Amino acid sequence: MRILIYNWRDLAHPKAGGAEVYTDQIARHWVEAGHDVTLFCSAVDGKSEREIVDGGYQVVRRGGPHRVYGEARKYWEREARGHFDLVIDEVNTRPFMCPRWVTGVPVMALIHQVAREIWFHETLWPIALVGRYWLEPHWLDAYRDIPTVTLSESSRQSLQDYGLRNVAVVPVGFDPLVIIEPLPPKEPTPTFVFVGRLAWNKRPHDAIEAFSFARKEMPD
């Protein structure tokens, strides 16, 4: 099967996160199973427009963080139409709206979560209000009857609250970690580490505040 995935970023993007790790992993497994996989995403400085990455799938990079959505449609209309058997529309807040312009092949949506209150943390007040109560519901309405995969029961409920009627949960798997032998020695005093991207919604400021409380209880 020839599979086209639309996602806003790939692993080479400096702001790549969990969604990109997930996309890379499923693309690798599909290639191993004998499928032909292409990932269309936004451009990355210093990376070529097209390349076959380590996992064996092709990456096509065009457009910036906002232009990638228009470039995605151009790619379909000018190059991809007739060359794929399935399109995966991966939604990270703003969808590609594939159900409205992809024809001739099935479209599936992959939606990790909805934004909802994140609008109020990541955008200014007027935009946040429009995004939360008009943009996101309007965007997701296009997926009302599209087969949709999400990663948790809570996300399925959120999507159903937006009116999506065909949502399946496929829990995230993982590849076993490489075991380091011998294991490094444990720290002699209680030690805490925050691991995450420096973005407001990842709450690093909450981690710093929690560390300050912990340090008062355990000065060493």
Side-chain angles (χ1 to χ4, degrees), residues 28-77:
R28 287 169 178 267
H29 286 300
W30 284 342
V31 169
E32 290 172 1
H35 301 292
D36 181 16
V37 180
T38 297
L39 169 63
F40 185 97
C41 58
S42 56
V44 177
D45 289 342
K47 301 296 291 186
S48 61
E49 181 181 290
R50 290 177 182 263
E51 72 169 313
I52 304 297
V53 297
D54 180 55
Y57 58 93
Q58 178 179 226
V59 177
V60 179
R61 304 182 182 98
R62 293 179 188 170
H66 302 293
R67 289 181 52 242
V68 64
Y69 301 95
E71 292 295 329
R73 182 168 183 170
K74 291 178 185 177
Y75 174 70
W76 175 259
E77 294 174 346

Short mmCIF file of all heavy atoms in Angstrom, two decimals, residues 28-77:
data_model
loop_
_atom_site.label_atom_id
_atom_site.label_comp_id
_atom_site.label_asym_id
_atom_site.label_seq_id
_atom_site.Cartn_x
_atom_site.Cartn_y
_atom_site.Cartn_z
N ARG A 28 8.00 3.75 10.22
CA ARG A 28 9.02 2.71 10.17
C ARG A 28 8.39 1.32 10.14
O ARG A 28 8.80 0.45 9.36
CB ARG A 28 9.95 2.81 11.38
CG ARG A 28 10.92 3.98 11.35
CD ARG A 28 11.62 4.15 12.69
NE ARG A 28 12.58 5.23 12.66
CZ ARG A 28 13.88 5.08 12.40
NH1 ARG A 28 14.36 3.86 12.16
NH2 ARG A 28 14.68 6.12 12.39
N HIS A 29 7.38 1.11 11.00
CA HIS A 29 6.75 -0.21 11.05
C HIS A 29 6.00 -0.52 9.76
O HIS A 29 5.98 -1.67 9.30
CB HIS A 29 5.81 -0.29 12.26
CG HIS A 29 6.53 -0.40 13.57
ND1 HIS A 29 7.37 -1.46 13.87
CD2 HIS A 29 6.54 0.39 14.67
CE1 HIS A 29 7.86 -1.31 15.09
NE2 HIS A 29 7.37 -0.19 15.59
N TRP A 30 5.38 0.49 9.16
CA TRP A 30 4.69 0.26 7.90
C TRP A 30 5.68 -0.09 6.79
O TRP A 30 5.41 -0.95 5.96
CB TRP A 30 3.87 1.49 7.53
CG TRP A 30 2.60 1.61 8.32
CD1 TRP A 30 1.98 0.63 9.03
CD2 TRP A 30 1.82 2.78 8.50
NE1 TRP A 30 0.85 1.12 9.64
CE2 TRP A 30 0.73 2.43 9.33
CE3 TRP A 30 1.93 4.10 8.06
CZ2 TRP A 30 -0.25 3.35 9.71
CZ3 TRP A 30 0.96 5.03 8.43
CH2 TRP A 30 -0.12 4.65 9.24
N VAL A 31 6.84 0.59 6.77
CA VAL A 31 7.86 0.26 5.78
C VAL A 31 8.35 -1.16 5.97
O VAL A 31 8.51 -1.92 5.00
CB VAL A 31 9.03 1.26 5.87
CG1 VAL A 31 10.22 0.79 5.04
CG2 VAL A 31 8.59 2.65 5.41
N GLU A 32 8.58 -1.55 7.22
CA GLU A 32 9.01 -2.91 7.50
C GLU A 32 7.98 -3.94 7.05
O GLU A 32 8.33 -5.06 6.67
CB GLU A 32 9.28 -3.08 9.00
CG GLU A 32 10.50 -2.32 9.50
CD GLU A 32 10.63 -2.36 11.02
OE1 GLU A 32 9.77 -3.00 11.67
OE2 GLU A 32 11.57 -1.74 11.55
N ALA A 33 6.71 -3.56 7.07
CA ALA A 33 5.64 -4.46 6.64
C ALA A 33 5.46 -4.48 5.13
O ALA A 33 4.57 -5.18 4.62
CB ALA A 33 4.32 -4.06 7.31
N GLY A 34 6.26 -3.69 4.41
CA GLY A 34 6.22 -3.71 2.96
C GLY A 34 5.47 -2.57 2.30
O GLY A 34 5.30 -2.56 1.08
N HIS A 35 5.04 -1.59 3.08
CA HIS A 35 4.32 -0.46 2.51
C HIS A 35 5.27 0.66 2.08
O HIS A 35 6.39 0.76 2.58
CB HIS A 35 3.31 0.09 3.53
CG HIS A 35 2.30 -0.92 3.97
ND1 HIS A 35 1.33 -1.42 3.15
CD2 HIS A 35 2.13 -1.55 5.17
CE1 HIS A 35 0.59 -2.30 3.80
NE2 HIS A 35 1.06 -2.40 5.03
N ASP A 36 4.80 1.48 1.15
CA ASP A 36 5.54 2.65 0.68
C ASP A 36 4.97 3.87 1.38
O ASP A 36 3.78 4.18 1.22
CB ASP A 36 5.37 2.76 -0.84
CG ASP A 36 6.14 3.94 -1.43
OD1 ASP A 36 7.03 4.47 -0.72
OD2 ASP A 36 5.83 4.34 -2.57
N VAL A 37 5.79 4.57 2.17
CA VAL A 37 5.29 5.65 3.03
C VAL A 37 5.99 6.96 2.67
O VAL A 37 7.22 7.02 2.54
CB VAL A 37 5.53 5.33 4.52
CG1 VAL A 37 5.01 6.46 5.40
CG2 VAL A 37 4.87 4.01 4.90
N THR A 38 5.18 8.02 2.55
CA THR A 38 5.69 9.38 2.35
C THR A 38 5.11 10.28 3.44
O THR A 38 3.91 10.24 3.71
CB THR A 38 5.29 9.93 0.97
OG1 THR A 38 5.90 9.13 -0.05
CG2 THR A 38 5.74 11.38 0.82
N LEU A 39 5.96 11.09 4.06
CA LEU A 39 5.53 12.07 5.05
C LEU A 39 5.72 13.46 4.46
O LEU A 39 6.82 13.84 4.09
CB LEU A 39 6.34 11.92 6.33
CG LEU A 39 6.19 13.04 7.38
CD1 LEU A 39 4.76 13.11 7.89
CD2 LEU A 39 7.18 12.84 8.53
N PHE A 40 4.61 14.22 4.38
CA PHE A 40 4.68 15.61 3.93
C PHE A 40 4.61 16.50 5.16
O PHE A 40 3.70 16.36 6.00
CB PHE A 40 3.52 15.94 2.98
CG PHE A 40 3.61 17.33 2.39
CD1 PHE A 40 4.14 17.52 1.13
CD2 PHE A 40 3.17 18.44 3.11
CE1 PHE A 40 4.26 18.79 0.58
CE2 PHE A 40 3.28 19.72 2.58
CZ PHE A 40 3.81 19.90 1.31
N CYS A 41 5.54 17.46 5.28
CA CYS A 41 5.60 18.32 6.46
C CYS A 41 6.22 19.66 6.09
O CYS A 41 6.54 19.91 4.92
CB CYS A 41 6.41 17.63 7.56
SG CYS A 41 8.09 17.22 7.06
N SER A 42 6.39 20.53 7.07
CA SER A 42 6.94 21.86 6.81
C SER A 42 8.45 21.79 6.59
O SER A 42 9.13 20.85 7.01
CB SER A 42 6.61 22.80 7.96
OG SER A 42 7.07 22.28 9.19
N ALA A 43 8.96 22.83 5.94
CA ALA A 43 10.39 22.90 5.63
C ALA A 43 11.22 23.10 6.89
O ALA A 43 10.74 23.63 7.90
CB ALA A 43 10.65 24.03 4.65
N VAL A 44 12.46 22.65 6.84
CA VAL A 44 13.40 22.79 7.95
C VAL A 44 14.70 23.38 7.41
O VAL A 44 15.25 22.87 6.42
CB VAL A 44 13.69 21.42 8.61
CG1 VAL A 44 14.73 21.57 9.71
CG2 VAL A 44 12.41 20.81 9.16
N ASP A 45 15.18 24.45 8.03
CA ASP A 45 16.43 25.06 7.60
C ASP A 45 17.56 24.04 7.61
O ASP A 45 17.76 23.31 8.60
CB ASP A 45 16.81 26.22 8.53
CG ASP A 45 15.89 27.42 8.34
OD1 ASP A 45 15.21 27.49 7.30
OD2 ASP A 45 15.86 28.29 9.25
N GLY A 46 18.29 23.99 6.50
CA GLY A 46 19.44 23.09 6.42
C GLY A 46 19.11 21.67 6.00
O GLY A 46 20.02 20.86 5.84
N LYS A 47 17.82 21.37 5.83
CA LYS A 47 17.42 20.03 5.39
C LYS A 47 16.87 20.10 3.97
O LYS A 47 16.25 21.08 3.57
CB LYS A 47 16.36 19.45 6.32
CG LYS A 47 16.80 19.33 7.78
CD LYS A 47 17.96 18.36 7.95
CE LYS A 47 17.54 16.93 7.68
NZ LYS A 47 18.65 15.97 8.00
N SER A 48 17.09 19.05 3.21
CA SER A 48 16.65 19.03 1.82
C SER A 48 15.14 18.94 1.73
O SER A 48 14.46 18.49 2.66
CB SER A 48 17.29 17.85 1.08
OG SER A 48 16.91 16.62 1.68
N GLU A 49 14.62 19.36 0.58
CA GLU A 49 13.17 19.32 0.38
C GLU A 49 12.65 17.89 0.34
O GLU A 49 11.55 17.60 0.82
CB GLU A 49 12.80 20.03 -0.92
CG GLU A 49 11.30 20.07 -1.19
CD GLU A 49 10.96 20.76 -2.49
OE1 GLU A 49 11.13 21.98 -2.56
OE2 GLU A 49 10.53 20.05 -3.44
N ARG A 50 13.43 16.98 -0.21
CA ARG A 50 13.08 15.56 -0.27
C ARG A 50 14.25 14.72 0.21
O ARG A 50 15.39 14.98 -0.15
CB ARG A 50 12.73 15.13 -1.70
CG ARG A 50 11.44 15.68 -2.27
CD ARG A 50 11.28 15.22 -3.71
NE ARG A 50 10.09 15.76 -4.32
CZ ARG A 50 8.94 15.11 -4.43
NH1 ARG A 50 8.83 13.88 -3.96
NH2 ARG A 50 7.90 15.67 -5.03
N GLU A 51 13.94 13.72 1.00
CA GLU A 51 14.98 12.76 1.37
C GLU A 51 14.35 11.47 1.87
O GLU A 51 13.20 11.46 2.36
CB GLU A 51 15.92 13.34 2.43
CG GLU A 51 15.34 13.49 3.81
CD GLU A 51 16.42 13.82 4.85
OE1 GLU A 51 17.48 13.16 4.86
OE2 GLU A 51 16.19 14.73 5.67
N ILE A 52 15.09 10.41 1.73
CA ILE A 52 14.71 9.13 2.34
C ILE A 52 15.42 9.07 3.68
O ILE A 52 16.65 9.06 3.74
CB ILE A 52 15.11 7.93 1.45
CG1 ILE A 52 14.52 8.05 0.06
CG2 ILE A 52 14.67 6.63 2.13
CD1 ILE A 52 13.00 8.04 0.02
N VAL A 53 14.65 9.05 4.76
CA VAL A 53 15.24 9.10 6.10
C VAL A 53 15.60 7.70 6.57
O VAL A 53 15.32 6.70 5.90
CB VAL A 53 14.29 9.79 7.10
CG1 VAL A 53 14.06 11.24 6.69
CG2 VAL A 53 12.97 9.04 7.21
N ASP A 54 16.20 7.63 7.74
CA ASP A 54 16.73 6.38 8.28
C ASP A 54 15.68 5.28 8.36
O ASP A 54 15.99 4.11 8.16
CB ASP A 54 17.33 6.65 9.67
CG ASP A 54 17.90 5.40 10.30
OD1 ASP A 54 18.76 4.76 9.67
OD2 ASP A 54 17.47 5.04 11.41
N GLY A 55 14.43 5.64 8.60
CA GLY A 55 13.39 4.61 8.72
C GLY A 55 12.94 4.02 7.41
O GLY A 55 12.11 3.10 7.39
N GLY A 56 13.45 4.54 6.28
CA GLY A 56 13.11 3.97 4.98
C GLY A 56 11.93 4.62 4.29
O GLY A 56 11.52 4.18 3.22
N TYR A 57 11.38 5.69 4.86
CA TYR A 57 10.27 6.38 4.22
C TYR A 57 10.74 7.73 3.68
O TYR A 57 11.76 8.28 4.11
CB TYR A 57 9.11 6.57 5.20
CG TYR A 57 9.42 7.33 6.46
CD1 TYR A 57 9.23 8.70 6.54
CD2 TYR A 57 9.90 6.68 7.60
CE1 TYR A 57 9.51 9.42 7.71
CE2 TYR A 57 10.19 7.38 8.77
CZ TYR A 57 9.99 8.74 8.81
OH TYR A 57 10.28 9.43 9.95
N GLN A 58 9.99 8.26 2.73
CA GLN A 58 10.34 9.53 2.11
C GLN A 58 9.73 10.69 2.88
O GLN A 58 8.59 10.63 3.32
CB GLN A 58 9.84 9.58 0.66
CG GLN A 58 10.15 10.90 -0.03
CD GLN A 58 9.68 10.97 -1.46
OE1 GLN A 58 10.42 11.41 -2.35
NE2 GLN A 58 8.45 10.54 -1.72
N VAL A 59 10.48 11.78 3.04
CA VAL A 59 9.98 13.00 3.64
C VAL A 59 10.01 14.10 2.59
O VAL A 59 11.03 14.30 1.92
CB VAL A 59 10.81 13.43 4.86
CG1 VAL A 59 10.31 14.75 5.43
CG2 VAL A 59 10.76 12.35 5.95
N VAL A 60 8.89 14.80 2.44
CA VAL A 60 8.79 15.95 1.55
C VAL A 60 8.52 17.16 2.43
O VAL A 60 7.54 17.18 3.18
CB VAL A 60 7.66 15.79 0.51
CG1 VAL A 60 7.57 17.02 -0.37
CG2 VAL A 60 7.88 14.53 -0.32
N ARG A 61 9.40 18.18 2.36
CA ARG A 61 9.30 19.35 3.24
C ARG A 61 9.05 20.61 2.41
O ARG A 61 9.87 20.97 1.57
CB ARG A 61 10.58 19.53 4.06
CG ARG A 61 10.97 18.32 4.90
CD ARG A 61 12.22 18.62 5.72
NE ARG A 61 12.64 17.46 6.49
CZ ARG A 61 13.59 16.61 6.11
NH1 ARG A 61 14.23 16.81 4.96
NH2 ARG A 61 13.93 15.58 6.85
N ARG A 62 7.92 21.29 2.71
CA ARG A 62 7.61 22.53 1.99
C ARG A 62 6.80 23.46 2.88
O ARG A 62 5.94 23.01 3.63
CB ARG A 62 6.80 22.23 0.72
CG ARG A 62 7.58 21.48 -0.34
CD ARG A 62 6.75 21.19 -1.55
NE ARG A 62 7.45 20.32 -2.47
CZ ARG A 62 6.90 19.74 -3.53
NH1 ARG A 62 5.62 19.95 -3.82
NH2 ARG A 62 7.61 18.95 -4.32
N GLY A 63 7.07 24.75 2.78
CA GLY A 63 6.29 25.74 3.51
C GLY A 63 6.73 25.87 4.96
O GLY A 63 7.36 24.98 5.52
N GLY A 64 6.38 27.02 5.53
CA GLY A 64 6.68 27.26 6.93
C GLY A 64 5.56 26.79 7.83
O GLY A 64 4.69 26.02 7.40
N PRO A 65 5.56 27.25 9.08
CA PRO A 65 4.55 26.76 10.04
C PRO A 65 3.11 27.06 9.64
O PRO A 65 2.20 26.36 10.07
CB PRO A 65 4.94 27.48 11.34
CG PRO A 65 5.79 28.63 10.92
CD PRO A 65 6.50 28.20 9.69
N HIS A 66 2.90 28.09 8.83
CA HIS A 66 1.55 28.42 8.39
C HIS A 66 1.32 28.05 6.92
O HIS A 66 0.22 27.62 6.56
CB HIS A 66 1.28 29.91 8.60
CG HIS A 66 1.45 30.35 10.03
ND1 HIS A 66 0.60 29.91 11.03
CD2 HIS A 66 2.37 31.15 10.62
CE1 HIS A 66 1.00 30.44 12.18
NE2 HIS A 66 2.06 31.19 11.96
N ARG A 67 2.35 28.18 6.10
CA ARG A 67 2.20 27.89 4.67
C ARG A 67 2.16 26.40 4.37
O ARG A 67 1.74 25.99 3.28
CB ARG A 67 3.33 28.54 3.89
CG ARG A 67 3.24 30.07 3.81
CD ARG A 67 4.38 30.66 2.98
NE ARG A 67 4.49 30.03 1.69
CZ ARG A 67 5.55 29.35 1.25
NH1 ARG A 67 6.60 29.19 2.05
NH2 ARG A 67 5.58 28.83 0.05
N VAL A 68 2.57 25.56 5.31
CA VAL A 68 2.62 24.12 5.04
C VAL A 68 1.23 23.58 4.66
O VAL A 68 1.12 22.64 3.86
CB VAL A 68 3.20 23.35 6.25
CG1 VAL A 68 2.30 23.48 7.48
CG2 VAL A 68 3.41 21.88 5.91
N TYR A 69 0.18 24.17 5.19
CA TYR A 69 -1.18 23.66 4.93
C TYR A 69 -1.59 23.92 3.48
O TYR A 69 -2.18 23.04 2.83
CB TYR A 69 -2.16 24.29 5.91
CG TYR A 69 -1.79 23.99 7.34
CD1 TYR A 69 -1.04 24.88 8.10
CD2 TYR A 69 -2.14 22.77 7.92
CE1 TYR A 69 -0.67 24.59 9.40
CE2 TYR A 69 -1.77 22.46 9.23
CZ TYR A 69 -1.02 23.38 9.96
OH TYR A 69 -0.64 23.08 11.24
N GLY A 70 -1.27 25.09 2.97
CA GLY A 70 -1.53 25.35 1.57
C GLY A 70 -0.63 24.55 0.65
O GLY A 70 -1.07 24.05 -0.39
N GLU A 71 0.64 24.38 1.04
CA GLU A 71 1.56 23.59 0.25
C GLU A 71 1.13 22.13 0.20
O GLU A 71 1.35 21.44 -0.79
CB GLU A 71 2.98 23.71 0.82
CG GLU A 71 3.61 25.08 0.67
CD GLU A 71 3.85 25.45 -0.78
OE1 GLU A 71 4.10 24.54 -1.60
OE2 GLU A 71 3.77 26.66 -1.10
N ALA A 72 0.52 21.66 1.27
CA ALA A 72 0.04 20.27 1.30
C ALA A 72 -1.01 20.04 0.22
O ALA A 72 -0.99 19.01 -0.49
CB ALA A 72 -0.54 19.96 2.68
N ARG A 73 -1.92 20.98 0.09
CA ARG A 73 -2.95 20.83 -0.94
C ARG A 73 -2.35 20.92 -2.35
O ARG A 73 -2.73 20.14 -3.24
CB ARG A 73 -4.02 21.91 -0.76
CG ARG A 73 -5.15 21.79 -1.76
CD ARG A 73 -6.32 22.67 -1.37
NE ARG A 73 -7.43 22.48 -2.30
CZ ARG A 73 -8.66 22.97 -2.11
NH1 ARG A 73 -8.92 23.67 -1.02
NH2 ARG A 73 -9.60 22.76 -3.00
N LYS A 74 -1.40 21.83 -2.56
CA LYS A 74 -0.74 21.93 -3.86
C LYS A 74 -0.02 20.64 -4.20
O LYS A 74 -0.06 20.17 -5.36
CB LYS A 74 0.25 23.09 -3.86
CG LYS A 74 -0.37 24.47 -3.78
CD LYS A 74 0.73 25.54 -3.73
CE LYS A 74 0.15 26.92 -3.54
NZ LYS A 74 1.21 27.95 -3.42
N TYR A 75 0.65 20.06 -3.21
CA TYR A 75 1.36 18.80 -3.45
C TYR A 75 0.40 17.72 -3.90
O TYR A 75 0.70 16.95 -4.83
CB TYR A 75 2.09 18.39 -2.17
CG TYR A 75 2.75 17.03 -2.24
CD1 TYR A 75 3.88 16.83 -3.03
CD2 TYR A 75 2.26 15.96 -1.50
CE1 TYR A 75 4.49 15.59 -3.09
CE2 TYR A 75 2.87 14.71 -1.56
CZ TYR A 75 3.98 14.53 -2.37
OH TYR A 75 4.58 13.30 -2.43
N TRP A 76 -0.76 17.64 -3.26
CA TRP A 76 -1.74 16.63 -3.65
C TRP A 76 -2.23 16.87 -5.07
O TRP A 76 -2.28 15.93 -5.88
CB TRP A 76 -2.94 16.63 -2.68
CG TRP A 76 -4.02 15.69 -3.12
CD1 TRP A 76 -5.18 16.00 -3.76
CD2 TRP A 76 -4.00 14.27 -2.97
NE1 TRP A 76 -5.90 14.86 -4.02
CE2 TRP A 76 -5.20 13.78 -3.55
CE3 TRP A 76 -3.11 13.35 -2.43
CZ2 TRP A 76 -5.52 12.43 -3.58
CZ3 TRP A 76 -3.41 12.01 -2.46
CH2 TRP A 76 -4.60 11.55 -3.04
N GLU A 77 -2.58 18.08 -5.37
CA GLU A 77 -3.18 18.38 -6.67
C GLU A 77 -2.18 18.28 -7.82
O GLU A 77 -2.56 17.88 -8.93
CB GLU A 77 -3.81 19.78 -6.64
CG GLU A 77 -4.99 19.87 -5.68
CD GLU A 77 -5.53 21.28 -5.53
OE1 GLU A 77 -4.81 22.24 -5.95
OE2 GLU A 77 -6.64 21.45 -5.00
#
